[in-house]
Amino acid sequence: MLQYIGKRLLQSVLTLFIIITIVFSLLRLMPEEGYLGAAADKMSPAQQEIYLTNLGLREPLLVQLGNFCMNLFQGDLGKSVTYRTDVPVTTIIAGKVTYSLLFGLGAVALSLIVGVPLGIMMAYRKGRWLDRLGTGYIVFVVAVPAAVYYLVIQMYITDLFQLPMLFDEYRPITWILPLTSMALAPTASYAMWMRRYMVDELNKDYIKLARAKGVKERTLMFKHVLRNAFIPMAQYLPATILFTITGSIYIESLYSIPGMGGLLVDAIQRQDNTVVQGLVLVFSSLGIIGLILGDIAMALVDPRIKLGKGGGVR
Amino acid sequence: MTSKKPRILFIQNLVIQFTLRGRVLTAIRDISLDLYKGESLAIVGESGSGKSVLMKSIMGLLDKNGSIKQGRIIYQAQDLGQFTTEQEWLRVRGKEIAMVTQDPMTSLNPLKTIGKQIEECVVLHQGLKGKEAYEETLKLLKDVGIHDVKKRYKQYPHEFSGGMRQRIVIAIAIACKPNILICDEPTTALDVTIQAQILQLLKNLQHKYGLTIVYITHDLGVVAKVADRIAVMYAGDVIEVGETHEIFFNSKHPYTWALISSLPQLGSKGEQLYSIKGTPPNLFQEIKGDAFAPRNQYALKIDFLERPPFFQVSDTHYARTWLLDPLAPKVEPPAALQAFFAEGRQYASD
């Protein structure tokens, strides 16, 4: 197990390095005027040249990349260029990460608490009204673009309940709408998966044997089916959890939440390479950690998987 | 001999229908069948003849779109066909009537140790707890021929071979200490050497616990090894029933002839293996007369018009064919089969 985790961690370092290289190179392809921003008109070409050289942009690409990686090992992501000039990127991100984490984890918790039991009940009462209602909800959330119902919620629900439209961290009531909006989609996917995997399991032979054995239908559901249905869930859960944390870009800008998603948009618009690199690193690390956690979680619930010996074979 | 044993369960005029997309399929057409205490009854028939449906109805495991339309299933003075709630069924299912399923590879829960899976049954039906249940489980594992039981108890299904898993499925079935054990194709998924072991095991257990066993199978080889009596099913009806030697060596129904003629052992070298021409009838339609008539080379005119009653051949042997009617022309089974019959009777009398 430990050996397997070690191997996976090494692999992910490599993956991260590749991601960094690609993003780093792509950013260097962007036109240089971006770095100057509004100050471009006020600078002579010679001044501009000095400015860009100071930023390290005149070095060969490989040297730039090398420097970046060396600094990264020391926990230094560089300093912001245009977003908040000369403030370390780590400081900027640290200030934002709390909001994203709070909202992401909140939304995930909400969608797990609602979605998983909903899926279980839908499978248990397959074909009845609860199942149909749930399916309707899932179809709606999947078919309608998130942007549409996000906006509808923001415009009409705030009106209906007299809630403030924008986020204010000192007024708890303003947390409700962004959280529920964010939870809508993951709730639907958890419910859908849970229902699907449970129905899959219900059709298997061991369920027939368990029935023939005289096990009560309810015991069957919760003792036999549920755990088996959780295996595929366990694999995807951590990844989706982290995806929810990082994937809140739109909600953050709708409700003016000062989180990482809004920061990424800002940094790209202002061509703040160091901030963009830093954020990409954070996002992709979270994604990769999610995948590893998923594999480990699956190995924990499924005795058929022995990690380390010949890799994780399902 | 078997007929002198008391009946443990009997089925009377059972009709089972399924509704599929608005159409009605009659899977079991007016079956009556007796099961005697301590015997092994084999129900044979091709796929779709209703063998499994019949057994599922005894355990209350019919799919939701199927129901008993008519008839009774009497076990211990109660009509199982009238059971509607889960509670009623749980008194019988597993406890009194248990089942060994077809495919041992998929019949066990992959996430529970086999010990726990057997113990679940012990706890449920014998009311034992903790240490006692554990000891009982170990005993059951020994009973079905598994060694090193303490270690095996803690292992998962994927750590066992197919034959071993079938032993565990059997252990689960007998853990409930049932009166009747239904074995739904218990050996189809196993190779031949393991088949023989499993059948032997079932025989030993039958002896030890006084079980009544019903084998559902289309493998006549299995039937010959284990059954005391055979019921032959065709298109949802029992068309011939009798003791094993009567069915094998003195059968009267043309369908039974055809079945036995299809045994590879019977064909001679260089000749094509016998197969029954045509297909079984469509069960969505009402069947008039003898269901086998359209495929039957010996069919009489009346076979197409009226369903034959059971004609008695001996105390234990009955067949549903008009050929046994006193007015019917005398028809002999095919020559190859006659030779087989003669050989069989010779063997039996020796």
Side-chain angles (χ1 to χ4, degrees), chain B residues 34 39-40 52-53 60 63 70-71 77 92 99 124 132 158 160 206 257 262 278 284 308-309 346 349:
Chain B
D34 293 341
E39 73 165 346
S40 313
S52 297
V53 171
D63 290 340
Q70 194 193 308
V92 175
M99 191 155 164
L124 215 57
E132 278 180 322
H158 69 275
F160 291 81
Q206 179 172 30
W257 293 348
S262 315
F284 280 113
Q346 179 79 37
S349 62

Side-chain angles (χ1 to χ4, degrees), chain B residues 4-20:
Chain B
K4 282 176 198 125
K5 292 178 181 169
R7 283 196 297 194
I8 189 166
L9 178 142
F10 62 99
I11 299 168
Q12 276 181 339
N13 304 102
L14 190 71
V15 175
I16 295 176
Q17 291 183 329
F18 289 86
T19 318
L20 288 167

